[in-house]
Amino acid sequence: MKIGLDIMGGDYAPKANVLGAIAAHPLLSPDEQIVLIGDTKQIKPLLSENGFDPDLFEYVHTEEVIGMGEHPTKAIVQKPNSSISIGFNLLKEGKLDSFASAGNSGAMLVGAVFSVKTIPGIIRPCLSTFLPKLSGGVGLMVDVGANADCKPDILLQFGVLGSLYAENVMGIGNPKVALMNIGEEDEKGNMLSLATFPLMKDTNLFNFIGNVEGRDLFNDKADVIVCDGFTGNVMLKLAESFYVLTLKRGLKDEFFDRFNYENYGGSPVLGVNAPVVIGHGISSPTAVKNMILQSRDMITTGLVGKIQAAFNN
Amino acid sequence: MKIGLDIMGGDYAPKANVLGAIAAHPLLSPDEQIVLIGDTKQIKPLLSENGFDPDLFEYVHTEEVIGMGEHPTKAIVQKPNSSISIGFNLLKEGKLDSFASAGNSGAMLVGAVFSVKTIPGIIRPCLSTFLPKLSGGVGLMVDVGANADCKPDILLQFGVLGSLYAENVMGIGNPKVALMNIGEEDEKGNMLSLATFPLMKDTNLFNFIGNVEGRDLFNDKADVIVCDGFTGNVMLKLAESFYVLTLKRGLKDEFFDRFNYENYGGSPVLGVNAPVVIGHGISSPTAVKNMILQSRDMITTGLVGKIQAAFNN
């Protein structure tokens, strides 16, 4: 198994990525191999500084980098030797089993769709984020920004994708899937949610439990919350800002600590033909370590194959 | 001046409403008269229990009540003697200068539009909520649930309504108005925000400062944040749930205390021909007291006349 990691992506690259890989290594079995993609002239000194045997990783050398502010599609097209472009090429060729980066999110999304392609039958891939539950568990919210405008059949598919990730990678049996809405009652909503509700109610593709509201992210009503990418992105950033506010106010709390994105690795891209993980731009070594473990779990659970099977009916 | 208050609305009616009116009274000048609308047989004992002179209030007796779970339009039509229906009739007839209730929000919104009507030139009235700023100030978000689906010209008008409320009632000079979006850049967004951005950029009706994101609710980038009612409602409920989480976790903090809805009274309905305030269903005496003061401020600042003037060009 080859777990691809972009060493050049993210605000603290390459150091945070290299340190994350070092931290992940002892947690992997011998056949779970991390492949570092980036400038080996920058990587090797970081390894020796930390007394890490460089032979324990594999390397793909490249010096070109896609910046955080670059236009995603242009960057992917115009920088074929960037670490992100090369990572996706290797993933497409089967020389990697997964690819993760804390770099330009848009370029990662575009790269995934351009290279390994959307799974046949899926209209739009989506991005997901993790929700710490007050009771101790973890939930999932999809989409959080890949698709600003959605149609009902797209949201229905997000329900399938989220449910399969929750069941297979997060180990939640028969995940409770809910639709984000402005009321719990069946007839509440905007045009999108009103049109989506009956599709979800009638589906046997997942365990739909009805509408949830903005207040239900951190309780146990739902394991998977489905929304359009505009709503999800706004909620994700609001939730993140709350965590930052608790830190700014000097509030120390075990539950709010679980809002720290570092705990979850990155945001899995669901609906493409290979495991892809997009990390937060400010990914720390801990976040990168968890992205690697998350990539491994997406591979070992055969998530992509299960999604392909679900949509190949 | 006659400030109308529905005594029968809200989860803790009539007691919380009567206690709120008692608390507001000493803060009002002699010509600022509170009119209690509801069952005087329930009101009077509460006044005597608290040693309050009943002659200091005016009363409109009615026993009929619109329940929290009733269908708004049906309830308004079928219960003409309910406290909410009677309150709006008095408001329409000019016998009240404002009307506030912590009862059925939908019925309050429908009642406002049916009775005093939408201001000519305004497409859709909106609901707003207050945002405590980390720096100490307070901001405003519109719409938070009256209009689940919006068009660009509707959002543009929300900007005007929010700006006028912020400037006149909240005393914020030249309020900074922003569009809620999924990125700060001009070209980010969903179809709605992409189409709204140029309208706002070109307007001279308010001081547009560009896009903000979900993380910007509590900082000083914007005084007024405009969004569709679906997005606003989801964000409002998420923010409320965070405040509840800090309480559940036993976190005590001056900033998070300011999330307490009680501090702000209720949600002003903007865009109808009279001051209307909708309280939170769980309104406490403090919340009701603040709803009364807020109603008074909406009257004394001549907010409605200023909105009418702004749309009468």
Side-chain angles (χ1 to χ4, degrees):
Chain A
M1 178 194 305
K2 308 274 189 184
I3 302 166
L5 178 69
D6 170 20
I7 289 301
M8 313 307 278
D11 296 341
Y12 306 122
K15 189 169 181 180
N17 297 322
V18 173
L19 294 180
I22 291 173
H25 182 268
L27 305 172
L28 300 175
S29 59
D31 67 317
E32 296 167 353
Q33 180 70 49
I34 303 174
V35 181
L36 306 187
I37 301 154
D39 185 353
T40 47
K41 293 192 303 297
Q42 295 186 57
I43 296 170
K44 295 287 169 73
L46 287 165
L47 295 177
S48 62
E49 269 175 33
N50 289 276
F52 190 86
D53 175 2
D55 292 341
L56 295 175
F57 292 145
E58 291 184 17
Y59 306 88
V60 177
H61 176 73
T62 180
E63 294 176 15
E64 200 170 30
V65 178
I66 293 178
M68 297 300 270
E70 289 192 58
H71 186 281
T73 315
K74 280 186 199 162
I76 285 286
V77 172
Q78 293 169 358
K79 291 189 167 175
N81 293 316
S82 63
S83 52
I84 289 179
S85 297
I86 286 185
F88 278 118
N89 277 338
L90 295 170
L91 189 66
K92 183 184 175 183
E93 293 165 2
K95 291 176 183 164
L96 291 178
D97 297 295
S98 67
F99 182 52
S101 171
N104 188 312
S105 300
M108 281 296 290
L109 204 55
V110 169
V113 172
F114 277 20
S115 63
V116 295
K117 312 285 184 197
T118 302
I119 290 171
I122 291 181
I123 309 166
R124 299 292 299 271
C126 62
L127 280 176
S128 36
T129 197
F130 300 96
L131 303 170
K133 300 293 187 177
L134 190 57
S135 63
V138 177
L140 194 72
M141 184 160 68
V142 287
D143 174 38
V144 294
N147 306 279
D149 292 288
C150 291
K151 293 194 168 151
D153 50 356
I154 296 179
L155 291 190
L156 181 71
Q157 292 194 340
F158 291 171
V160 179
L161 294 171
S163 183
L164 285 170
Y165 188 92
E167 184 153 20
N168 289 285
V169 184
M170 299 166 77
I172 300 170
N174 197 26
K176 292 174 286 184
V177 180
L179 179 64
M180 176 54 58
N181 211 330
I182 55 173
E184 291 184 336
E185 306 85 347
D186 293 13
E187 71 278 7
K188 284 282 179 112
N190 60 4
M191 287 186 290
L192 175 62
S193 60
L194 285 170
T196 305
F197 188 92
L199 297 185
M200 290 193 169
K201 200 170 180 181
D202 288 346
T203 195
N204 54 12
L205 298 171
F206 51 80
N207 172 22
F208 182 57
I209 56 107
N211 292 322
V212 292
E213 300 178 85
R215 64 170 63 96
D216 296 318
L217 261 59
F218 310 110
N219 63 32
D220 288 328
K221 281 190 189 166
D223 300 305
V224 178
I225 293 177
V226 177
C227 54
D228 64 87
F230 187 92
T231 303
N233 183 274
V234 158
M235 295 186 89
L236 169 61
K237 286 174 179 165
L238 176 54
E240 282 183 347
S241 78
F242 256 100
Y243 171 63
V244 171
L245 283 172
T246 62
L247 295 182
K248 277 191 183 165
R249 298 296 301 174
L251 299 176
K252 195 70 194 150
D253 179 76
E254 278 178 23
F255 172 64
F256 281 101
D257 285 346
R258 293 175 50 226
F259 278 78
N260 190 337
Y261 72 96
E262 291 185 5
N263 297 323
Y264 306 103
S267 176
V269 180
L270 300 178
V272 293
N273 286 301
V276 174
V277 176
I278 304 181
H280 204 300
I282 56 167
S283 283
S284 65
T286 303
V288 173
K289 177 195 78 179
N290 285 323
M291 276 168 63
I292 294 167
L293 299 178
Q294 183 184 8
S295 300
R296 187 263 320 266
D297 293 344
M298 287 172 77
I299 300 167
T300 51
T301 56
L303 174 71
V304 169
K306 285 171 182 168
I307 294 175
Q308 289 165 334
F311 283 89
N312 190 23
N313 289 323
Chain B
M1 178 197 301
K2 309 275 189 185
I3 302 167
L5 177 68
D6 170 20
I7 289 301
M8 314 306 279
D11 296 341
Y12 306 122
K15 190 170 181 180
N17 297 320
V18 173
L19 294 180
I22 292 174
H25 183 269
L27 305 172
L28 300 175
S29 58
D31 68 316
E32 295 168 353
Q33 180 70 50
I34 304 174
V35 180
L36 306 187
I37 301 154
D39 185 353
T40 47
K41 294 191 303 295
Q42 294 187 58
I43 297 171
K44 295 291 169 73
L46 288 164
L47 295 177
S48 62
E49 268 174 33
N50 289 277
F52 190 85
D53 176 1
D55 292 341
L56 295 175
F57 292 145
E58 290 184 19
Y59 306 88
V60 176
H61 176 71
T62 182
E63 295 176 14
E64 199 170 31
V65 178
I66 292 177
M68 298 300 272
E70 290 192 56
H71 185 280
T73 314
K74 280 186 198 161
I76 285 287
V77 172
Q78 294 169 357
K79 291 188 167 176
N81 292 316
S82 63
S83 53
I84 289 179
S85 297
I86 285 184
F88 278 119
N89 276 339
L90 295 169
L91 189 66
K92 182 185 176 183
E93 293 164 2
K95 293 176 182 164
L96 291 178
D97 296 297
S98 67
F99 183 51
S101 171
N104 186 311
S105 301
M108 281 296 290
L109 203 55
V110 169
V113 172
F114 276 21
S115 62
V116 295
K117 313 285 182 195
T118 303
I119 291 170
I122 291 182
I123 310 165
R124 298 292 299 271
C126 62
L127 280 176
S128 36
T129 198
F130 300 96
L131 303 170
K133 300 292 187 177
L134 190 58
S135 63
V138 177
L140 194 72
M141 184 160 69
V142 287
D143 176 37
V144 294
N147 306 279
D149 292 289
C150 291
K151 294 195 166 149
D153 50 355
I154 295 179
L155 291 189
L156 181 71
Q157 292 195 341
F158 292 170
V160 180
L161 294 171
S163 183
L164 285 170
Y165 188 93
E167 183 152 21
N168 290 285
V169 185
M170 299 166 77
I172 301 170
N174 197 26
K176 292 174 285 183
V177 180
L179 179 64
M180 177 53 59
N181 212 329
I182 55 173
E184 291 184 336
E185 306 86 347
D186 294 13
E187 71 278 7
K188 283 283 179 110
N190 59 3
M191 287 187 289
L192 175 62
S193 61
L194 286 169
T196 304
F197 188 92
L199 297 186
M200 290 192 169
K201 200 170 182 184
D202 288 347
T203 194
N204 53 12
L205 299 171
F206 52 80
N207 173 22
F208 183 56
I209 56 108
N211 293 323
V212 292
E213 300 179 84
R215 64 169 63 96
D216 296 319
L217 261 59
F218 310 110
N219 63 32
D220 288 328
K221 282 191 187 165
D223 300 306
V224 178
I225 293 176
V226 177
C227 56
D228 65 87
F230 187 92
T231 303
N233 183 273
V234 158
M235 295 186 90
L236 169 60
K237 286 174 179 164
L238 176 54
E240 283 183 347
S241 77
F242 257 100
Y243 171 63
V244 171
L245 284 173
T246 62
L247 295 181
K248 277 191 185 164
R249 297 297 301 175
L251 299 176
K252 194 70 192 148
D253 180 74
E254 279 178 24
F255 172 65
F256 281 102
D257 285 346
R258 293 175 53 228
F259 278 78
N260 190 337
Y261 73 95
E262 291 186 4
N263 296 323
Y264 305 102
S267 175
V269 181
L270 300 178
V272 293
N273 286 299
V276 175
V277 176
I278 304 181
H280 204 299
I282 55 165
S283 283
S284 64
T286 304
V288 173
K289 178 195 76 178
N290 285 322
M291 276 169 63
I292 293 168
L293 300 177
Q294 183 186 10
S295 299
R296 187 265 319 269
D297 293 344
M298 288 172 77
I299 300 168
T300 54
T301 56
L303 174 70
V304 169
K306 286 170 181 168
I307 294 175
Q308 288 165 334
F311 284 91
N312 190 22
N313 290 322

